[in-house]
Amino acid sequence: MEKLPAPPTPLPVKPIYRRLPARHRLWRIYFRGGAYPIAWDAFRHVGPTTSRFDHHTRPKRVQTRGILYATDGPDAIGTALAEVFQTTAHIDRHANRPWLVAFELGANVALLDTTGRWPVRAGGNMAINSGSRPRAREWSLAIYRQYSKVEGIAYASSLTNGPCLALYERAKHAMPTAPVLNRPLSDPALFPGLTKIAATLNFTIK
């Protein structure tokens, strides 16, 4: 796999946008329990963590910068499950109380699109989506610093190639007041569908 180089300073090209319109539906899995419980619409302000596009500055701490990871598209739930449970390839519907939420944006959002030609035009490559996460975070920092109108990053899942979104706190204005769907993964009504998705991923589930 080609390695992702460090981002040039400054980034030599303008952003290529993926613009999400108001009422565009996003999905995410979040945890209501465990050491770091979070609400369905909450941006994580602690960072950076090991996630791909955290744009927090070091050292790790609570800061004004926040991020929210989501998915969209026809296989949004499958991609969300793959991203969240990739370490174990096991969907645990109970530990730390995972919930599935769908919500529709309340306003337009402008994301930098890393799924097309922007990475190579900017001096990088497609490893930004699937290679070294620490290096990808360097790119996110550079993107956030230089492009003041970019409200997050649109990227491809390294597991399913499905669309993923990393929303910066700049996108908070587009968060709705209520979700379209918000259910625990332990809900028996979800189990048949989750089982089918787990099979397509070759993940186990309980």
Side-chain angles (χ1 to χ4, degrees):
M1 178 184 295
E2 186 175 8
K3 290 185 178 180
L4 180 66
T9 305
L11 296 169
V13 294
K14 294 180 179 180
I16 295 176
Y17 287 103
R18 180 184 175 198
R19 299 183 187 275
L20 304 182
R23 302 195 69 179
H24 185 79
R25 184 168 294 188
L26 304 182
W27 297 78
R28 72 182 297 214
I29 293 170
Y30 68 102
F31 291 89
R32 286 192 173 188
Y36 303 102
I38 197 167
W40 71 268
D41 60 345
F43 286 67
R44 173 170 49 77
H45 288 272
V46 175
T49 66
T50 59
S51 296
R52 181 167 299 278
F53 288 113
D54 282 13
H55 62 303
H56 306 86
T57 58
R58 292 184 179 278
K60 181 178 179 179
R61 67 196 188 283
V62 177
Q63 48 194 286
T64 57
R65 298 186 181 196
I67 198 156
L68 184 152
Y69 289 91
T71 61
D72 70 349
D75 190 32
I77 299 175
T79 296
L81 290 167
E83 289 288 319
V84 170
F85 296 104
Q86 61 180 286
T87 302
T88 61
H90 173 70
I91 300 170
D92 190 328
R93 300 183 302 123
H94 305 279
N96 297 327
R97 299 176 61 202
W99 281 56
L100 173 69
V101 64
F103 59 92
E104 293 181 347
L105 294 173
N108 299 344
V109 172
L111 306 176
L112 178 72
D113 190 352
T114 66
T115 66
R117 296 191 177 185
W118 184 86
V120 68
R121 286 174 53 81
N125 54 56
M126 296 309 290
I128 193 170
N129 295 314
S130 58
S132 165
R133 290 190 174 195
R135 182 53 57 83
R137 289 193 289 274
E138 292 177 20
W139 278 82
S140 187
L141 284 165
I143 290 164
Y144 185 86
R145 180 172 58 247
Q146 184 166 325
Y147 301 142
S148 61
K149 294 183 179 180
V150 165
E151 297 173 303
I153 295 175
Y155 64 104
S157 168
S158 62
L159 296 151
T160 69
N161 204 40
C164 293
L165 315 160
L167 304 183
Y168 296 149
E169 79 287 345
R170 293 170 179 169
K172 278 188 176 181
H173 68 94
M175 295 298 291
T177 56
V180 175
L181 177 146
N182 194 21
R183 292 186 181 181
L185 291 191
S186 59
D187 185 337
L190 295 181
F191 187 67
L194 294 176
T195 301
K196 290 180 181 178
I197 294 172
T200 68
L201 298 170
N202 198 29
F203 280 17
T204 56
I205 185 170
K206 73 170 184 180

